[in-house]
Amino acid sequence: MRMLIIDDDGRARAFVAEGLRQQGHTVDEAQDGDTGLHMAVDGAYDAIVADRMMPGLSGLEVVQAMRAAGLKTPVLMLTALGSVDDRVAGLNAGADDYLIKPFAFSELSARLQALIRRPPLADHSARHVVGDLEIDVVAHRAVRAGEVLDLTPHEFKLLERLARNAGQAVTRTMLLESLWGFHFDPRANLIDAHVSRLRAKVDRGFDYDLIHTIRGVGYVLKTPD
C-alpha cells in the first residue's frame, strides 16, 4: 500500500512512517498541511494519516479541501484533543476515523487496514451474510443456520458492526467509539464482556465459530479458513 503521513512533529511522523515501512508499505511524508494537501491531490494514496493541529493548514482543513476536490482517500486523523465534540468535528470535516494520542502503533495499523479494506462509509448495506449467519439490519434480526438469535440491542449492534467488516480486524476502541461514543474503556472489560455474551449466542451449539479474538487488537467475524 502507498501511504501519506502529514504531521509537523518530526519524531511522531518518523515513528509512524518507519512502522508502516517495516510492514512493507510505501510511505511519503509531509511536514505541514499545505505540503500534505498538495501531495494528497497529486498522488494516488491508499490511505492518509494526518495530524489535526499543524501550522498553516490544519488537519481538518486538509481533509475538508480533499473532500471538496472529490478525493475519497481514507483519512485517519491523529490528535491530542479527545473530547466528543473534537471527534465529531473531525468526522464531520470528512475524516474516516479518529485516533487519540498517545496511541499504540498496532492499533493505528489495524485501523488503517480496516479503512482501506472496508466498504465506503456511505454504503450501509441492509443485509449481511457471513457463512451460515444472516443479519437483516432493517428488521433487526439475526439468524444462524435457520435459528433466530435472541440478541439485546447492544449485542445486535456489536454483531452488525463485526459483520459490516467481516474478515477484517475491528479494534476494541473502534467498537467503543462506534457503539458507545467512548475513546477509552471506562470499565476495562466492557467490550470483552459484551463479546463473551454475544459468542454464547452466536457460536455455542453451532458447527463452527464465527467470532475470533485477535490478541492485542480486537475481534474479527469470519468463517473458518
Side-chain angles (χ1 to χ4, degrees), residues 5 27 40 78 159 181 207 209:
I5 314 300
V27 182
L78 304 178
L159 182 60
D207 292 339
D209 290 344

Side-chain angles (χ1 to χ4, degrees), residues 151-190:
L151 304 178
T152 67
H154 267 133
E155 288 168 349
F156 184 87
K157 288 172 64 178
L158 179 58
L159 182 60
E160 191 273 332
R161 177 62 192 265
L162 291 170
R164 184 153 48 91
N165 296 277
Q168 305 168 28
V170 181
T171 69
R172 291 175 175 84
T173 302
M174 291 165 68
L175 291 171
L176 283 163
E177 290 179 346
S178 63
L179 302 184
W180 285 277
F182 303 138
H183 68 273
F184 64 95
D185 192 334
R187 280 208 336 248
N189 65 348
L190 179 62

Side-chain angles (χ1 to χ4, degrees), residues 6 35 53 66 72 79 107-108 150 183 207:
I6 310 172
T35 303
M53 300 177 66
M66 286 175 54
K72 298 181 180 179
T79 184
E107 181 176 0
L108 179 142
D150 182 17
H183 68 273
D207 292 339

